[in-house]
Amino acid sequence: MDISTGTRASNAERDKVVRLLARHLEDGRIDLAEYDERTAQVYKTTTKDDLQLVLTDLPKLSKEPAGQQASATRIPIWQKIEGTSWLGVSLLVLAIWGAISLSVGEFTYPWPIWVIGPWGAVLVFRMLTGWESGRCASPLR
């Protein structure tokens, strides 16, 4: 029976090493093929000492990525873009409805609510729940 002298590594520790490798990949220290090799090696290892061997030739990283601190805003940029698009389309359909109502001489059926309402409701739902932004915890992850 083979008994290793090192302490056995947990799945959480393996995931931490894979996240560090991903940061090195983002920084350009390793390429995608090397990242795949090292990730496979991480999941094959059983001890903490073997996990550290995967990172020996790479520099130590700080706890938090530098880019993540600056981009930790409440509303992601893609939701800001969608909100701006919604606002622009809403103003456009209101202007069209207003022009039609002025040309007829009375208020016509308020059809812009069918453009503005559902789209806005979906955007508000996604912003409040964090759905698709990574803030909502998924049981599948």
Side-chain angles (χ1 to χ4, degrees), residues 56-119:
T56 54
D57 61 333
L58 296 170
K60 299 280 186 208
L61 295 174
S62 63
K63 301 249 186 224
E64 268 310 299
Q68 196 174 29
Q69 292 172 346
S71 68
T73 59
R74 179 167 160 54
I75 301 172
I77 187 71
W78 57 270
Q79 282 185 340
K80 290 179 183 178
I81 293 169
E82 287 179 340
T84 304
S85 301
W86 172 81
L87 181 62
V89 169
S90 298
L91 292 173
L92 178 65
V93 296
L94 284 174
I96 293 170
W97 176 73
I100 292 170
S101 294
L102 280 176
S103 68
V104 172
E106 62 183 32
F107 285 116
T108 60
Y109 179 75
W111 58 268
I113 62 170
W114 298 110
V115 176
I116 298 169
W119 188 3

Side-chain angles (χ1 to χ4, degrees), residues 1-140:
M1 184 169 167
D2 184 33
I3 299 175
S4 65
T5 58
T7 306
R8 296 187 71 83
S10 69
N11 286 338
E13 291 165 333
R14 287 184 190 93
D15 290 340
K16 180 181 176 184
V17 172
V18 169
R19 282 193 304 272
L20 288 172
L21 286 172
R23 288 181 52 200
H24 285 292
L25 174 68
E26 289 173 5
D27 291 343
R29 289 186 190 92
I30 58 176
D31 61 0
L32 190 57
E34 188 175 357
Y35 171 79
D36 288 339
E37 283 178 26
R38 289 179 186 232
T39 302
Q41 185 179 353
V42 164
Y43 286 114
K44 288 179 190 175
T45 61
T46 56
T47 65
K48 290 181 181 182
D49 297 332
D50 293 339
L51 281 179
Q52 293 306 316
L53 289 176
V54 175
L55 300 171
T56 54
D57 61 333
L58 296 170
K60 299 280 186 208
L61 295 174
S62 63
K63 301 249 186 224
E64 268 310 299
Q68 196 174 29
Q69 292 172 346
S71 68
T73 59
R74 179 167 160 54
I75 301 172
I77 187 71
W78 57 270
Q79 282 185 340
K80 290 179 183 178
I81 293 169
E82 287 179 340
T84 304
S85 301
W86 172 81
L87 181 62
V89 169
S90 298
L91 292 173
L92 178 65
V93 296
L94 284 174
I96 293 170
W97 176 73
I100 292 170
S101 294
L102 280 176
S103 68
V104 172
E106 62 183 32
F107 285 116
T108 60
Y109 179 75
W111 58 268
I113 62 170
W114 298 110
V115 176
I116 298 169
W119 188 3
V122 168
L123 291 179
V124 168
F125 169 78
R126 287 169 51 190
M127 185 179 76
L128 292 178
T129 62
W131 190 61
E132 291 183 352
S133 68
R135 290 186 294 153
C136 184
S138 172
L140 299 176

